[in-house]
């Protein structure tokens, strides 16, 4: 054993627990799920193992009408949530970037929405959107925006909107904190020079703030898309995928295949499709980051 290896060996021991954790709890489940997606694994042969059936699970899933409903709802849910979370989070970050009394207190209060477990948040908003005694219907009727209570979670036209509103409320504080941290790290002398040159607020935002914030916004968008795309708990608690698949999304569709239909091979195929979509999004992000760094 040479001297360089002797010196580096203790360093590798520090990352060994992390490597073991990643292999056991990340790499192995992903590889096992991909293997299962090519098998006819159901509750009947769970102990003995399923036989290899190639791409049949993927073909059956893609030919299912519910798959395309879930795919459409997932993209609508994801991009609607990300859009409103980032826009409202950015506006709140600009607001909290100003100096005013009790700024830190109000910022901490807003973080409670993000810190609250999604089980509690989903249950809370299920009550708020209730058709009989929900606060939201009560307020809308009192300000005369509606004449009759809306069955938010019980009809196809409003169920997905209600779930989107719930997730937007959860994600705004997280986006606000990240954007606020980026805003506070921007160099102040650049803004002072722009003001001396006579630039207005819109020009300062377009020519200085937005370009400097671009790396942070890229990270926020990618993390937000990945986190939102795999939504499950809010859907389970608030609607259970209904009514009539109005809130059916890919992760919940995979859950139904595994724990309602007990078709674990089909569930593995759905999970692999989700993984493939998220990998494509990550590759686009890496490409944009590389292009930004080289320019």
């Amino acid at each position: 054993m040479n001297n360089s290896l002797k010196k580096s060996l203790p360093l590798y021991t520090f990352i060994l627990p992390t490597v073991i954790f990643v292999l056991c709890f990340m790499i192995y489940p992903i590889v096992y799920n991909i293997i299962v997606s090519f098998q006819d694994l159901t509750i009947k042969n769970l102990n003995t193992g399923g036989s290899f059936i190639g791409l049949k699970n993927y073909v059956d899933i893609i030919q299912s009408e519910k798959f395309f409903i879930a795919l459409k709802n997932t993209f609508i849910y994801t991009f609607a949530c990300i859009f409103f979370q980032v826009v409202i989070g950015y506006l709140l970050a600009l607001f909290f970037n100003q100096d005013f009394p009790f700024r830190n207190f109000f910022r901490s209060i807003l973080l409670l929405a993000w810190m609250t477990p999604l089980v509690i948040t989903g249950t809370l908003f299920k009550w708020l959107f209730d058709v009989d005694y929900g606060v939201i219907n009560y307020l809308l009727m009192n300000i005369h925006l509606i004449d009759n209570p809306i069955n938010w979670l019980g009809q196809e036209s409003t169920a997905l909107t209600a779930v989107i509103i719930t997730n937007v409320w959860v994600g705004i504080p997280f986006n606000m904190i990240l954007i606020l941290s980026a805003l506070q790290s921007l160099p102040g002398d650049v803004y002072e020079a722009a003001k001396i040159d006579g630039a207005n607020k819109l020009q300062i935002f377009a020519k200085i703030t937005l370009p400097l914030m671009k790396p942070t916004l890229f990270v926020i968008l990618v993390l937000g898309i990945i986190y939102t795309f795999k939504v499950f708990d809010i859907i389970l608690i608030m609607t259970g995928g209904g009514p009539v698949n109005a809130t059916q999304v890919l992760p919940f569709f995979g859950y139904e295949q595994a724990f309602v239909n007990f078709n674990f091979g089909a569930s593995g195929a759905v999970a692999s499709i989700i993984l493939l979509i998220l990998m494509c999004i990550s590759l686009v992000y890496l490409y944009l980051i590389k292009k930004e760094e080289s320019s």
Side-chain angles (χ1 to χ4, degrees):
M1 184 180 296
N2 55 43
N3 292 331
S4 60
L5 184 59
K6 286 182 179 180
K7 292 180 180 179
S8 60
L9 188 60
L11 300 177
Y12 286 114
T13 58
F14 285 101
I15 66 170
L16 184 61
T18 304
V19 172
I20 294 174
F21 177 86
V22 170
L23 288 174
C24 293
F25 297 102
M26 294 181 68
I27 304 300
Y28 172 74
I30 291 174
V31 173
Y32 180 74
N33 176 80
I34 294 173
I35 294 173
V36 166
S37 69
F38 295 106
Q39 295 178 347
D40 181 24
L41 186 64
T42 63
I43 192 69
K44 297 178 182 179
N45 57 8
L46 187 60
N47 291 328
T48 59
S51 57
F52 179 79
I53 56 173
L55 296 174
K56 187 178 185 304
N57 286 323
Y58 291 91
V59 173
D60 291 343
I61 287 296
I62 293 174
Q63 289 180 345
S64 170
E65 183 181 355
K66 188 181 283 190
F67 170 77
F68 287 101
I69 295 173
L71 184 65
K72 180 193 71 173
N73 288 340
T74 303
F75 277 103
I76 293 173
Y77 174 86
T78 299
F79 289 106
C81 288
I82 294 302
F83 175 79
F84 288 107
Q85 285 175 359
V86 173
V87 170
I88 299 174
Y90 188 86
L91 294 175
L92 285 173
L94 290 175
F95 174 71
F96 282 108
N97 199 32
Q98 310 299 316
D99 190 15
F100 60 89
F102 304 108
R103 177 182 63 173
N104 293 331
F105 171 75
F106 289 114
R107 190 190 305 172
S108 303
I109 292 296
L110 280 177
L111 277 176
L112 289 175
W114 179 65
M115 295 168 60
T116 305
L118 286 176
V119 175
I120 298 175
T121 301
T123 305
L124 173 65
F125 272 85
K126 189 175 181 179
W127 292 340
L128 292 175
F129 282 115
D130 189 84
V131 63
D132 296 320
Y133 50 84
V135 175
I136 292 177
N137 277 330
Y138 175 79
L139 293 175
L140 292 176
M141 292 180 67
N142 274 272
I143 60 178
H144 304 292
L145 285 179
I146 59 174
D147 297 324
N148 299 304
I150 298 174
N151 190 5
W152 290 95
L153 300 175
Q155 59 185 18
E156 295 180 60
S157 58
T158 57
L160 187 60
T161 301
V163 177
I164 289 172
I165 291 172
T166 304
N167 193 64
V168 168
W169 186 82
V170 172
I172 285 173
F174 179 71
N175 287 271
M176 179 201 71
I177 289 297
L178 291 179
I179 296 172
L180 180 60
S181 301
L183 285 173
Q184 291 178 340
S185 65
L186 297 180
D189 54 345
V190 177
Y191 289 92
E192 293 176 4
K195 291 177 181 178
I196 293 173
D197 291 337
N200 57 38
K201 291 184 178 180
L202 184 60
Q203 290 172 330
I204 291 174
F205 172 78
K207 300 295 183 180
I208 298 176
T209 304
L210 197 57
L212 291 175
M213 289 282 294
K214 193 180 292 185
T216 302
L217 292 175
F218 274 151
V219 173
I220 291 172
L221 287 173
V222 172
L223 289 178
I225 290 172
I226 292 173
Y227 180 78
T228 309
F229 200 90
K230 54 187 183 66
V231 58
F232 172 76
D233 29 23
I234 288 181
I235 299 294
L236 177 66
I237 294 162
M238 295 186 67
T239 63
V244 198
N245 298 320
T247 58
Q248 182 71 254
V249 291
L250 284 178
F252 194 82
F253 179 49
Y255 161 81
E256 284 186 339
Q257 295 297 318
F259 300 105
V260 177
N261 301 333
F262 299 108
N263 189 344
F264 302 105
S267 177
V270 175
S272 298
I273 292 171
I274 295 173
L275 176 65
L276 180 62
I277 294 173
L278 293 179
M279 284 180 63
C280 291
I281 294 172
S282 300
L283 289 174
V284 171
Y285 163 73
L286 293 173
Y287 169 76
L288 292 175
I289 288 294
K290 186 178 180 180
K291 185 178 179 181
E292 184 71 20
E293 290 176 350
S294 61
S295 61

